[in-house]
Amino acid sequence: METSALYPYPSRRYVTYAARGMCATSNHLAAQAGVDMLKKGGNAFDAAIAAAACLVVLEPQTNGAGSDAFAIFTQNGGKLQGMNSTGVMGRGFDLQKMRDKGYKEMPHYGFEPVTVPGAPAAWAAINEKYGRLPLTEVLAPAISYAREGQALCTITWSSINTMASRMRENTDCGPQFDEWFRIFMPGGEAPRPGQLFRNPDLADTLEAIAKTQAKDYYQGEIADRIVAASHKFGGFLEKEDLMEHEVQWVQPLSVPYHGYEVWELPPNGQGIIALMALNILNGFEPSPLDDPLGVHRQIEATKLAFIDGLRYIADPRYMEVSPEEMLSPEYAAARRKLIGQTAIEPAPGNPKNPGTVYLCAADNEGNMISYIQSNYAGFGSGVVVPGTGIALQNRGKGFSLDPESPNAAAPGKRPYHTIIPGFLTKDGKPVGPFGVMGGFMQPQAHVQVMTKLIDCGLNPQVCIDAPRWLWTAGKEVHVETEFSTYLADSLAQRGHKIVFDTNRGGFGKGQMILRTPFGTLIGGTEPRCEGACAAW
């Protein structure tokens, strides 16, 4: 892979270079906060946590102090490590009672889909184990933005209004959403773009997290408030569920791809889908940029991987097949044989025969981190814990209510997770972190970004700029309006049902930082939002 300076697409940004450090996020203030930590003597881990906490304040529509988190990282250029800080379903959950109430799937809003939030524990664990600055200093920018306020951006204003409309249309919308409306719709309407927006309750919560290394969140007064709200509004969380939450340090998974190694975290996240697709594609020769046959194969490989992922991914303790079986070369070869010249209707295979904010940061000491945290969809559950500013995720939405599914909801169990950080190495040496957030788009975007980077030699910014496709179901593929009409027509002739989609938010938001052969850094950020790649 030699990243090219050429810009084959109508580029919206130039690639960013830096010598001392870099932080790429979906918000410029969060990225700046990350680089500020580097300037204060901190490292990439301090930068990532500072940015993550700021995003809780600055992008409440995508994440909050009630989010979950994953990370892949390298310390001083060494072996990759992984972190899973996703929470379990509360001990009060009863699947049969949910089915008896008439639910065929987990509800989207309310306290029922809320699982134990993991992001605050992730901040504290990474800071304590790998950071250099105290957590009080790392979270100070986020606390300041929450207490003193910051100008509201257009995307957040639009998201607040969209969420308000959806909750008002929800027949079950009741008192549990009052706190959300109080904070985000003061006086009955959202603050206007550019208007100062404050969340002093969240500032107090972040301050408590910083001073106690998140212990207050899981064992103290904040935990008591979360549980009290759960009891009041029909949730399933108990104090013991919060007290028992632990960050898991895990070994990332990888597959070879055309001379590199692409890394994702093991289930309960869906990163293995991207690896399965790339494992299938690794058996084909690299394709030229936007070659119709090459893109057709990418779509087909992704479809086959996705349909397997939806069938098998769950809390690892409940999975019917192992990640190793899903990633075996033999299984990849069997699935590859299904890819021909035209689109197919995908069906799950059997691996046992033989075989949504994202950010990244890097410094000049060899530390690099790929980090992601999320509420799941929009503002998540729509529930804000009274008096705390904590917007809770709805990660339980990822569960199935089918008792026969390995992903069936159960107390003490983690759900299927969509958020996935990625990492790239060559010959075992770290090249850099990457990720594209956005629900079920994420593994599909990982495949698209990696194939353009590795096979076509494009620089990180161009890889992120490139128009994307999104497989939805069957043979239907949505493409961005900037997508090549020639390529779209060619795919349609191969049997794909192509839909030009004007909803740019559905195609994900990505960031990438790579270390160059010169030891410097090169980064790209997302043009589909207020992305920024701050450098030092």
Side-chain angles (χ1 to χ4, degrees):
M1 173 188 64
E2 291 186 7
T3 57
S4 170
L6 297 178
Y7 288 82
Y9 306 107
S11 184
R12 305 163 183 91
R13 301 173 186 269
Y14 283 100
V15 69
T16 302
Y17 289 96
R20 298 176 181 85
M22 189 177 288
C23 183
T25 80
S26 52
N27 181 280
H28 64 101
L29 294 174
Q32 290 172 24
V35 168
D36 284 346
M37 294 301 119
L38 299 177
K39 293 179 178 179
K40 290 181 178 181
N43 57 22
F45 304 106
D46 297 311
I49 299 311
C54 282
L55 287 168
V56 163
V57 181
L58 301 169
E59 281 195 17
Q61 74 274 21
T62 53
N63 71 137
S67 289
D68 278 350
F70 290 99
I72 303 176
F73 53 91
T74 174
Q75 186 180 30
N76 301 324
K79 181 181 177 182
L80 294 191
Q81 303 172 67
M83 181 214 70
N84 179 333
S85 191
T86 64
V88 301
M89 177 57 77
R91 60 191 63 208
F93 179 82
D94 188 307
L95 189 148
Q96 190 56 49
K97 287 183 179 179
M98 291 291 288
R99 290 169 62 87
D100 291 344
K101 290 180 180 179
Y103 287 112
K104 295 183 179 179
E105 60 182 34
M106 286 292 291
H108 191 109
Y109 299 119
F111 235 110
E112 291 98 333
V114 176
T115 56
V116 175
W123 303 344
I126 293 173
N127 171 260
E128 187 172 346
K129 194 168 185 178
Y130 300 103
R132 187 171 295 154
L133 301 175
L135 192 58
T136 50
E137 187 168 2
V138 173
L139 296 195
I143 294 168
S144 175
Y145 285 135
R147 195 178 306 285
E148 299 171 17
Q150 184 49 244
L152 196 74
C153 72
T154 303
I155 294 176
T156 301
W157 169 78
S158 176
S159 297
I160 290 173
N161 283 294
T162 299
M163 182 66 172
S165 296
R166 287 175 179 170
M167 288 201 290
R168 285 167 175 159
E169 293 168 359
N170 185 351
T171 56
D172 297 326
C173 184
Q176 61 184 321
F177 303 114
D178 288 350
E179 189 75 352
W180 185 92
F181 279 99
R182 183 185 73 82
I183 291 175
F184 296 108
M185 300 284 289
E189 62 180 31
R192 304 292 298 177
Q195 186 175 343
L196 204 62
F197 176 74
R198 297 183 177 90
N199 193 341
D201 290 344
L202 180 56
D204 292 341
T205 292
L206 293 172
E207 202 163 54
I209 292 171
K211 289 179 178 178
T212 66
Q213 290 292 129
K215 290 182 175 62
D216 191 60
Y217 191 102
Y218 294 94
Q219 303 172 21
E221 182 182 351
I222 296 175
D224 291 335
R225 291 191 177 194
I226 294 172
V227 172
S230 178
H231 289 171
K232 183 177 181 179
F233 298 123
F236 308 111
L237 297 180
E238 299 292 345
K239 182 77 171 283
E240 293 83 357
D241 296 316
L242 291 161
M243 294 177 68
E244 292 171 3
H245 178 77
E246 292 184 352
V247 170
Q248 295 183 327
W249 304 103
V250 298
Q251 178 57 44
L253 304 172
S254 73
V255 295
Y257 184 72
H258 295 168
Y260 288 78
E261 304 90 38
V262 181
W263 297 79
E264 304 275 356
L265 290 179
N268 54 313
Q270 64 175 348
I272 195 170
I273 293 175
L275 296 185
M276 293 175 72
L278 290 170
N279 212 20
I280 294 170
L281 291 170
N282 196 42
F284 295 117
E285 287 296 316
S287 300
L289 182 63
D290 291 343
D291 171 64
L293 177 59
V295 176
H296 162 72
R297 287 171 171 169
Q298 292 169 25
I299 294 172
E300 295 300 284
T302 300
K303 287 160 58 173
L304 291 168
F306 228 118
I307 210 73
D308 279 342
L310 292 173
R311 170 64 180 84
Y312 295 114
I313 292 173
D315 184 318
R317 296 170 295 172
Y318 297 83
M319 286 178 61
E320 299 170 351
V321 297
S322 70
E324 291 74 20
E325 290 170 323
M326 296 172 77
L327 294 176
S328 73
E330 294 82 7
Y331 186 59
R335 299 300 264 170
R336 190 180 305 121
K337 289 179 181 178
L338 299 176
I339 299 176
Q341 297 295 314
T342 58
I344 62 171
E345 290 279 355
N350 183 2
K352 285 188 173 293
N353 288 337
T356 151
V357 291
Y358 173 79
L359 62 94
C360 47
D363 58 34
N364 60 356
E365 300 173 28
N367 301 307
M368 306 180 90
I369 179 169
S370 181
Y371 180 94
I372 194 163
Q373 67 186 22
S374 172
N375 279 344
Y376 181 46
F379 283 86
S381 65
V383 176
V384 177
V385 179
T388 68
I390 298 172
L392 292 168
Q393 38 85 331
N394 57 342
R395 279 290 159 189
K397 178 66 176 173
F399 276 125
S400 170
L401 292 184
D402 177 0
E404 301 301 318
S405 170
N407 188 41
K413 185 175 180 180
R414 291 178 171 84
Y416 177 114
H417 257 266
T418 56
I419 57 175
I420 53 173
F423 214 103
L424 184 67
T425 64
K426 183 171 178 59
D427 300 326
K429 296 180 180 179
V431 176
F434 69 91
V436 183
M437 61 182 233
F440 295 103
M441 176 67 193
Q442 294 182 62
Q444 305 190 54
H446 282 207
V447 170
Q448 293 172 65
V449 167
M450 285 295 98
T451 52
K452 285 182 170 60
L453 183 80
I454 295 173
D455 294 342
C456 304
L458 301 179
N459 71 53
Q461 187 59 59
V462 176
C463 292
I464 293 171
D465 280 345
R468 296 175 188 149
W469 50 262
L470 168 64
W471 172 72
T472 56
K475 298 181 181 181
E476 185 167 305
V477 180
H478 288 219
V479 298
E480 292 190 279
T481 53
E482 300 91 344
F483 200 83
S484 162
T485 53
Y486 164 74
L487 182 53
D489 289 342
S490 298
L491 293 172
Q493 290 172 13
R494 293 179 180 274
H496 299 278
K497 182 181 177 182
I498 303 298
V499 178
F500 279 86
D501 194 333
T502 59
N503 178 24
R504 299 187 69 198
F507 291 92
K509 302 171 185 176
Q511 320 290 333
M512 189 188 309
I513 298 175
L514 306 179
R515 197 169 298 282
T516 74
F518 313 107
T520 56
L521 301 170
I522 179 173
T525 188
E526 184 56 69
R528 297 164 182 82
C529 64
E530 297 177 327
C533 192
W536 181 40

